[in-house]
Amino acid sequence: MKVKELMTKKVLVLKPNNTFEEAAKLFIENGIDGAPVVDRDGKLISIVTKTDLMKAILNKLEMNTKLETLNLKKVITINSEMNIEDVLKYNVGRLPVIDKNNKIIGIITHTDFINDLVEKISKKCRDMKNTKLGLTELDSIIECSYDGIYITDGEANTIKINNAYESITGLKRAEVLGRNMKDLEKEGVISQSATLLVLKNRKTTTIQQEFKTGVKVLVSSNPIFDKNGKIIMVVTNVRDVTQLYELKEQLQKNKEITLKYVSEIEEMRTQLLNTSEIVAEDHKTIEIIQLANRIAKVDTTILMLGETGAGKDQIAKHIHKVSKRSKKQFIKVNCGAVPASLIESEFFGYEKGAFTGANKEGKIGLFEMASGGTIFLDEVGELPMDMQVKLLRVLQEMEVVRIGGTKPIKIDVRVLAATNRDLEDMIKKKQFREDLYYRLNVIPLYIPPLRERKHDILPLINFFLTQLNKKYNFNKIFASDALNCMYEYNWPGNVRELKNIVERAVIMSEDDKVKRSDLPKNIIGSNGMIVTLNTFEEGINLKETLDAIEKKLIKKAYDKYGNVRAAAKSLGIDASTFVRKRQKYIKEEI
């Protein structure tokens, strides 16, 4: 066909203002699969294959592949007086190529068949004409995605990535666009390709992926099929999980630290149970012991505060035992039990012949006796005012003067004091010296009442029961209803009262099982939640009983409040302890 004849046909022309979308529609809708390019004389100068055309379209290149050798404009489109519908009416076999000067410089000859892939894309292009979103808008949506997006064709060639992908992975477009995933995987650009797995297994695949930049991501690749079930595209969503892994590592470290602390606390508690009469199961008691261990290392004066019977004397003994003075004397003085007329002589001693009825050899006072060790002034709030003055001088000067003597005697003693009274209120009422209060209250140590550390109740019962069984050669146990009753009792007398009740009930019970009816009426009639356990058999041991009661209480508290924090608070324990114990009992049920 001559050039002159060709010019009478509807032709493809090159215009600088044509868009990529127009070029794509032109080639697809004219069925260009493979096209030889000839010059004016019909001599073959190049071939534009289907693959070249498709890659150019999908990669948004502007036809600058083999046609570029002809120095053509970079866009090929239809003539301005034509529309898509007009072009589709023609079975165009040959198309002239016109340069920027409207000079025909070659002819593209193409086959008439259009494969399934081209038909699919052609349909998409026609459909897109009738949609509100064009390619430009679609690109904008992809670029605005927070997740990284990576798109390949059905042969794993990279055709599109967005800005988020570059930001997340640290890779640049130039490194991956147009490249096959097999090559990227082989070169170590990515650790493993989810796209290749999708093409192999033909289903959505999610894997962890790591890049040469060191970034770890979670990728989910999804296949896109044509109407014949062929994969024409794979779209991959990429989410940065590097921070999640860092948080996971930090969480693991925190767990290890927590386990270490728990182990240390358990070890300390075991040591306490083996070295003293302190039962430390409740977290509040454990915290007190921890503080006591720290302050025991120095000789600072300590003022222990708390209700009567709360265990202040046991804490004082423990402080002495773990201090550097443990091999010396521990002297306990009940200030409220010493007659006022004898306090001075008992505290500081007297010389021989100091007063009528005095020992002929004189007497050493308790402070002298405790020198090198510890003196514990229990119920210090009961001291009369005149004795408070003398005690203050001893604390300030660390020396005593015996009654009838004139020479000060140096002493080296650690002073621990305790009271169940409100010393600040006593100061306001002029019943206690303010200067002595500040001298004693260097480090205050509050011992909470038993009702505020309820997790010590059942272990204390077990401790006292063991002592009594050994002492009286008994083999007694407490029934579950008796334990429930004692657990819910308010214990105004604290540990001292509990010890007395346990001893009374053990001695007064007629058989080896101490029942609820063996307890005093004031405890049986006390208000409180009674947990009824019906699963216990005769002869069950105390540990199993305690565990069962604890399990019941934890379940009941959680069912009532519906959350860990409130349930833990109702039982007087912290949330972490509640969770640990609850998980323990849940595992036992599984």
mmCIF file of all heavy atoms in Angstrom, residues 309-336:
data_model
loop_
_atom_site.group_PDB
_atom_site.id
_atom_site.type_symbol
_atom_site.label_atom_id
_atom_site.label_comp_id
_atom_site.label_asym_id
_atom_site.label_seq_id
_atom_site.Cartn_x
_atom_site.Cartn_y
_atom_site.Cartn_z
ATOM 1 N N GLY A 309 -1.729 -5.600 118.711
ATOM 2 C CA GLY A 309 -1.783 -6.974 118.218
ATOM 3 C C GLY A 309 -1.493 -7.129 116.748
ATOM 4 O O GLY A 309 -1.615 -8.233 116.204
ATOM 5 N N ALA A 310 -1.081 -6.052 116.057
ATOM 6 C CA ALA A 310 -0.849 -6.128 114.610
ATOM 7 C C ALA A 310 0.471 -6.812 114.264
ATOM 8 O O ALA A 310 0.689 -7.192 113.112
ATOM 9 C CB ALA A 310 -0.884 -4.734 113.993
ATOM 10 N N GLY A 311 1.355 -6.962 115.259
ATOM 11 C CA GLY A 311 2.630 -7.635 114.997
ATOM 12 C C GLY A 311 3.827 -6.717 115.013
ATOM 13 O O GLY A 311 4.859 -7.040 114.425
ATOM 14 N N LYS A 312 3.725 -5.593 115.723
ATOM 15 C CA LYS A 312 4.837 -4.640 115.770
ATOM 16 C C LYS A 312 6.065 -5.252 116.449
ATOM 17 O O LYS A 312 7.194 -5.025 116.030
ATOM 18 C CB LYS A 312 4.404 -3.364 116.496
ATOM 19 C CG LYS A 312 3.265 -2.617 115.811
ATOM 20 C CD LYS A 312 2.941 -1.298 116.487
ATOM 21 C CE LYS A 312 2.290 -1.490 117.846
ATOM 22 N NZ LYS A 312 0.953 -2.146 117.749
ATOM 23 N N ASP A 313 5.831 -6.043 117.501
ATOM 24 C CA ASP A 313 6.958 -6.661 118.198
ATOM 25 C C ASP A 313 7.675 -7.679 117.324
ATOM 26 O O ASP A 313 8.906 -7.815 117.386
ATOM 27 C CB ASP A 313 6.493 -7.309 119.507
ATOM 28 C CG ASP A 313 5.371 -8.314 119.289
ATOM 29 O OD1 ASP A 313 4.724 -8.265 118.213
ATOM 30 O OD2 ASP A 313 5.151 -9.135 120.188
ATOM 31 N N GLN A 314 6.926 -8.396 116.468
ATOM 32 C CA GLN A 314 7.556 -9.361 115.571
ATOM 33 C C GLN A 314 8.423 -8.656 114.526
ATOM 34 O O GLN A 314 9.501 -9.132 114.177
ATOM 35 C CB GLN A 314 6.477 -10.207 114.876
ATOM 36 C CG GLN A 314 5.701 -11.126 115.798
ATOM 37 C CD GLN A 314 6.583 -12.155 116.469
ATOM 38 O OE1 GLN A 314 7.561 -12.618 115.893
ATOM 39 N NE2 GLN A 314 6.249 -12.502 117.708
ATOM 40 N N ILE A 315 7.951 -7.514 114.056
ATOM 41 C CA ILE A 315 8.744 -6.744 113.097
ATOM 42 C C ILE A 315 10.015 -6.223 113.774
ATOM 43 O O ILE A 315 11.108 -6.225 113.185
ATOM 44 C CB ILE A 315 7.924 -5.571 112.524
ATOM 45 C CG1 ILE A 315 6.704 -6.084 111.751
ATOM 46 C CG2 ILE A 315 8.790 -4.695 111.624
ATOM 47 C CD1 ILE A 315 7.042 -6.917 110.539
ATOM 48 N N ALA A 316 9.889 -5.780 115.022
ATOM 49 C CA ALA A 316 11.054 -5.299 115.763
ATOM 50 C C ALA A 316 12.090 -6.409 115.923
ATOM 51 O O ALA A 316 13.295 -6.197 115.743
ATOM 52 C CB ALA A 316 10.620 -4.773 117.127
ATOM 53 N N LYS A 317 11.631 -7.614 116.270
ATOM 54 C CA LYS A 317 12.550 -8.744 116.412
ATOM 55 C C LYS A 317 13.229 -9.057 115.088
ATOM 56 O O LYS A 317 14.424 -9.369 115.042
ATOM 57 C CB LYS A 317 11.782 -9.975 116.903
ATOM 58 C CG LYS A 317 11.330 -9.902 118.348
ATOM 59 C CD LYS A 317 10.528 -11.149 118.722
ATOM 60 C CE LYS A 317 10.001 -11.057 120.147
ATOM 61 N NZ LYS A 317 9.175 -12.241 120.511
ATOM 62 N N HIS A 318 12.437 -8.973 114.006
ATOM 63 C CA HIS A 318 13.011 -9.262 112.687
ATOM 64 C C HIS A 318 14.084 -8.239 112.321
ATOM 65 O O HIS A 318 15.149 -8.624 111.803
ATOM 66 C CB HIS A 318 11.913 -9.270 111.621
ATOM 67 C CG HIS A 318 12.439 -9.419 110.233
ATOM 68 N ND1 HIS A 318 12.933 -10.600 109.739
ATOM 69 C CD2 HIS A 318 12.589 -8.502 109.228
ATOM 70 C CE1 HIS A 318 13.360 -10.424 108.507
ATOM 71 N NE2 HIS A 318 13.156 -9.161 108.161
ATOM 72 N N ILE A 319 13.829 -6.971 112.568
ATOM 73 C CA ILE A 319 14.824 -5.928 112.266
ATOM 74 C C ILE A 319 16.116 -6.215 113.020
ATOM 75 O O ILE A 319 17.219 -6.087 112.485
ATOM 76 C CB ILE A 319 14.264 -4.538 112.622
ATOM 77 C CG1 ILE A 319 13.126 -4.174 111.655
ATOM 78 C CG2 ILE A 319 15.363 -3.482 112.570
ATOM 79 C CD1 ILE A 319 12.409 -2.888 112.008
ATOM 80 N N HIS A 320 15.990 -6.607 114.286
ATOM 81 C CA HIS A 320 17.190 -6.926 115.064
ATOM 82 C C HIS A 320 17.915 -8.142 114.474
ATOM 83 O O HIS A 320 19.156 -8.143 114.361
ATOM 84 C CB HIS A 320 16.796 -7.208 116.526
ATOM 85 C CG HIS A 320 17.937 -7.700 117.356
ATOM 86 N ND1 HIS A 320 18.975 -6.883 117.758
ATOM 87 C CD2 HIS A 320 18.203 -8.939 117.871
ATOM 88 C CE1 HIS A 320 19.829 -7.585 118.474
ATOM 89 N NE2 HIS A 320 19.386 -8.835 118.560
ATOM 90 N N LYS A 321 17.158 -9.169 114.092
ATOM 91 C CA LYS A 321 17.773 -10.400 113.588
ATOM 92 C C LYS A 321 18.561 -10.201 112.304
ATOM 93 O O LYS A 321 19.559 -10.879 112.068
ATOM 94 C CB LYS A 321 16.698 -11.468 113.363
ATOM 95 C CG LYS A 321 16.204 -12.118 114.631
ATOM 96 C CD LYS A 321 15.219 -13.222 114.320
ATOM 97 C CE LYS A 321 14.750 -13.924 115.586
ATOM 98 N NZ LYS A 321 13.807 -15.029 115.300
ATOM 99 N N VAL A 322 18.095 -9.284 111.448
ATOM 100 C CA VAL A 322 18.777 -9.098 110.161
ATOM 101 C C VAL A 322 19.753 -7.930 110.198
ATOM 102 O O VAL A 322 20.350 -7.592 109.173
ATOM 103 C CB VAL A 322 17.752 -8.892 109.022
ATOM 104 C CG1 VAL A 322 16.865 -10.111 108.869
ATOM 105 C CG2 VAL A 322 16.915 -7.639 109.251
ATOM 106 N N SER A 323 19.945 -7.316 111.371
ATOM 107 C CA SER A 323 20.873 -6.194 111.501
ATOM 108 C C SER A 323 22.252 -6.691 111.932
ATOM 109 O O SER A 323 22.428 -7.863 112.288
ATOM 110 C CB SER A 323 20.343 -5.177 112.524
ATOM 111 O OG SER A 323 20.486 -5.698 113.843
ATOM 112 N N LYS A 324 23.217 -5.799 111.916
ATOM 113 C CA LYS A 324 24.573 -6.163 112.341
ATOM 114 C C LYS A 324 24.659 -6.380 113.844
ATOM 115 O O LYS A 324 25.681 -6.848 114.352
ATOM 116 C CB LYS A 324 25.547 -5.062 111.918
ATOM 117 C CG LYS A 324 25.259 -3.704 112.530
ATOM 118 C CD LYS A 324 26.209 -2.650 111.997
ATOM 119 C CE LYS A 324 25.904 -1.276 112.608
ATOM 120 N NZ LYS A 324 26.823 -0.230 112.092
ATOM 121 N N ARG A 325 23.611 -6.050 114.576
ATOM 122 C CA ARG A 325 23.573 -6.242 116.029
ATOM 123 C C ARG A 325 22.918 -7.572 116.416
ATOM 124 O O ARG A 325 22.626 -7.795 117.593
ATOM 125 C CB ARG A 325 22.794 -5.085 116.690
ATOM 126 C CG ARG A 325 23.420 -3.715 116.484
ATOM 127 C CD ARG A 325 22.537 -2.613 117.052
ATOM 128 N NE ARG A 325 23.147 -1.297 116.892
ATOM 129 C CZ ARG A 325 23.925 -0.721 117.788
ATOM 130 N NH1 ARG A 325 24.199 -1.338 118.938
ATOM 131 N NH2 ARG A 325 24.438 0.477 117.569
ATOM 132 N N SER A 326 22.667 -8.434 115.465
ATOM 133 C CA SER A 326 21.883 -9.641 115.728
ATOM 134 C C SER A 326 22.516 -10.565 116.766
ATOM 135 O O SER A 326 21.795 -11.328 117.426
ATOM 136 C CB SER A 326 21.674 -10.405 114.413
ATOM 137 O OG SER A 326 22.928 -10.756 113.839
ATOM 138 N N LYS A 327 23.817 -10.512 116.948
ATOM 139 C CA LYS A 327 24.486 -11.398 117.911
ATOM 140 C C LYS A 327 24.477 -10.818 119.326
ATOM 141 O O LYS A 327 24.945 -11.478 120.258
ATOM 142 C CB LYS A 327 25.911 -11.678 117.456
ATOM 143 C CG LYS A 327 25.978 -12.449 116.134
ATOM 144 C CD LYS A 327 27.415 -12.736 115.724
ATOM 145 C CE LYS A 327 27.455 -13.505 114.410
ATOM 146 N NZ LYS A 327 28.850 -13.808 113.987
ATOM 147 N N LYS A 328 23.973 -9.602 119.461
ATOM 148 C CA LYS A 328 23.911 -8.953 120.773
ATOM 149 C C LYS A 328 22.488 -9.039 121.328
ATOM 150 O O LYS A 328 21.609 -9.639 120.738
ATOM 151 C CB LYS A 328 24.349 -7.484 120.646
ATOM 152 C CG LYS A 328 25.782 -7.311 120.140
ATOM 153 C CD LYS A 328 26.801 -7.825 121.140
ATOM 154 C CE LYS A 328 28.229 -7.570 120.650
ATOM 155 N NZ LYS A 328 29.243 -8.038 121.626
ATOM 156 N N GLN A 329 22.268 -8.376 122.455
ATOM 157 C CA GLN A 329 20.992 -8.441 123.159
ATOM 158 C C GLN A 329 19.859 -7.735 122.408
ATOM 159 O O GLN A 329 20.074 -6.712 121.763
ATOM 160 C CB GLN A 329 21.127 -7.775 124.547
ATOM 161 C CG GLN A 329 21.990 -8.557 125.522
ATOM 162 C CD GLN A 329 21.184 -9.601 126.279
ATOM 163 O OE1 GLN A 329 20.075 -9.944 125.906
ATOM 164 N NE2 GLN A 329 21.739 -10.120 127.355
ATOM 165 N N PHE A 330 18.674 -8.345 122.510
ATOM 166 C CA PHE A 330 17.437 -7.677 122.092
ATOM 167 C C PHE A 330 16.569 -7.571 123.333
ATOM 168 O O PHE A 330 16.101 -8.587 123.869
ATOM 169 C CB PHE A 330 16.709 -8.476 121.007
ATOM 170 C CG PHE A 330 15.371 -7.883 120.621
ATOM 171 C CD1 PHE A 330 15.303 -6.823 119.736
ATOM 172 C CD2 PHE A 330 14.182 -8.388 121.155
ATOM 173 C CE1 PHE A 330 14.077 -6.275 119.372
ATOM 174 C CE2 PHE A 330 12.950 -7.844 120.802
ATOM 175 C CZ PHE A 330 12.907 -6.780 119.909
ATOM 176 N N ILE A 331 16.395 -6.342 123.827
ATOM 177 C CA ILE A 331 15.641 -6.100 125.054
ATOM 178 C C ILE A 331 14.307 -5.452 124.696
ATOM 179 O O ILE A 331 14.263 -4.388 124.084
ATOM 180 C CB ILE A 331 16.409 -5.184 126.020
ATOM 181 C CG1 ILE A 331 17.798 -5.766 126.325
ATOM 182 C CG2 ILE A 331 15.614 -4.979 127.298
ATOM 183 C CD1 ILE A 331 17.764 -7.079 127.045
ATOM 184 N N LYS A 332 13.215 -6.119 125.117
ATOM 185 C CA LYS A 332 11.889 -5.558 124.905
ATOM 186 C C LYS A 332 11.355 -5.001 126.223
ATOM 187 O O LYS A 332 11.388 -5.683 127.246
ATOM 188 C CB LYS A 332 10.922 -6.620 124.377
ATOM 189 C CG LYS A 332 9.493 -6.121 124.212
ATOM 190 C CD LYS A 332 8.553 -7.222 123.748
ATOM 191 C CE LYS A 332 7.117 -6.730 123.693
ATOM 192 N NZ LYS A 332 6.165 -7.783 123.277
ATOM 193 N N VAL A 333 10.870 -3.756 126.169
ATOM 194 C CA VAL A 333 10.316 -3.105 127.349
ATOM 195 C C VAL A 333 8.899 -2.645 127.035
ATOM 196 O O VAL A 333 8.687 -1.867 126.104
ATOM 197 C CB VAL A 333 11.152 -1.890 127.775
ATOM 198 C CG1 VAL A 333 10.597 -1.304 129.069
ATOM 199 C CG2 VAL A 333 12.623 -2.248 127.915
ATOM 200 N N ASN A 334 7.930 -3.132 127.830
ATOM 201 C CA ASN A 334 6.551 -2.664 127.691
ATOM 202 C C ASN A 334 6.378 -1.468 128.609
ATOM 203 O O ASN A 334 6.210 -1.611 129.824
ATOM 204 C CB ASN A 334 5.556 -3.765 128.063
ATOM 205 C CG ASN A 334 4.136 -3.398 127.695
ATOM 206 O OD1 ASN A 334 3.762 -2.223 127.716
ATOM 207 N ND2 ASN A 334 3.347 -4.389 127.367
ATOM 208 N N CYS A 335 6.426 -0.283 127.981
ATOM 209 C CA CYS A 335 6.406 0.956 128.779
ATOM 210 C C CYS A 335 5.115 1.102 129.588
ATOM 211 O O CYS A 335 5.102 1.741 130.639
ATOM 212 C CB CYS A 335 6.588 2.158 127.864
ATOM 213 S SG CYS A 335 8.143 2.153 126.939
ATOM 214 N N GLY A 336 4.036 0.515 129.120
ATOM 215 C CA GLY A 336 2.771 0.625 129.821
ATOM 216 C C GLY A 336 2.647 -0.345 130.981
ATOM 217 O O GLY A 336 1.762 -0.192 131.831
#
